[in-house]
Amino acid sequence: VGEHALEALYGEAAATVAPQAALLADILAENTRFTQARASDPVTAQRDSVVRSLEQSSTQYFTLHSQLTTGATFYADLQKRLTSLLQAGDDLSYTQQLQRQEFEMTSAASFERRTQEQQDHELALKLAQELDSGVADMKIGGSSVALGQPVAAPPQRAPEPAAAAPP
């Protein structure tokens, strides 16, 4: 029973496959006529041209969109970096300005202190010379002054102007 059923199936399959070659040839011939008719029809050719143009435009649009998105990301990152650099530059400038002000204040205070010390030193020398000359005058004049007695001070001179401060 099994072999007989199998042979029947083989026969049936061969009967359906044989007409398929002829049907395939007919389909290919009809497809060729259809494509030739489409190519020779001006309306269909124009429609195909519009579809191809739309497809190219769509492809170009998505390419440009991708490039613009990439460019926007790049420039956003660049702006962040530039902002950071500008902030660092401003910070450096501010720090340099503070250091310069501190240096100028320190230099001015040091100059004033040295000037004051110089004036004090000159005044001390002048007073010492005046005291020495007053003691010398007392001895030379032959007058005797008892210790503890006030001694007349020599006439005071106007103080000399301080030397101009260097710039």
Side-chain angles (χ1 to χ4, degrees):
V1 179
E3 283 183 32
H4 185 39
L6 191 60
E7 284 180 26
L9 284 175
Y10 280 133
E12 197 177 315
T16 56
V17 169
Q20 285 183 4
L23 287 173
L24 183 60
D26 288 344
I27 291 172
L28 288 175
E30 286 296 320
N31 186 43
T32 303
R33 276 191 297 250
F34 174 75
T35 54
Q36 287 174 350
R38 281 188 73 195
S40 64
D41 183 28
V43 174
T44 306
Q46 187 178 8
R47 191 176 301 139
D48 286 345
S49 173
V50 169
V51 169
R52 272 190 240 102
S53 175
L54 286 174
E55 184 180 353
Q56 288 174 348
S57 297
S58 174
T59 302
Q60 187 176 13
Y61 166 80
F62 286 112
T63 301
L64 289 174
H65 184 269
S66 173
Q67 290 173 350
L68 286 173
T69 302
T70 303
T73 303
F74 169 77
Y75 285 111
D77 183 50
L78 182 62
Q79 183 178 11
K80 287 178 189 174
R81 291 180 185 204
L82 287 175
T83 301
S84 175
L85 284 173
L86 285 173
Q87 184 63 44
D90 288 345
D91 291 348
L92 179 63
S93 174
Y94 182 70
T95 302
Q96 291 291 326
Q97 181 182 5
L98 288 177
Q99 287 178 346
R100 182 176 41 253
Q101 288 174 351
E102 184 179 325
F103 175 75
E104 288 172 354
M105 288 172 44
T106 304
S107 295
S110 176
F111 177 74
E112 287 176 13
R113 190 186 79 245
R114 282 193 309 261
T115 304
Q116 186 63 44
E117 287 174 356
Q118 180 66 29
Q119 290 173 352
D120 290 348
H121 179 71
E122 289 173 3
L123 182 60
L125 286 177
K126 185 188 264 184
L127 288 175
Q129 286 175 352
E130 288 176 3
L131 284 176
D132 285 345
S133 86
V135 170
D137 284 344
M138 283 193 267
K139 288 183 184 179
I140 294 174
S143 59
S144 61
V145 176
L147 292 173
Q149 295 281 332
V151 178
Q156 291 191 353
R157 298 181 212 153
E160 296 179 10

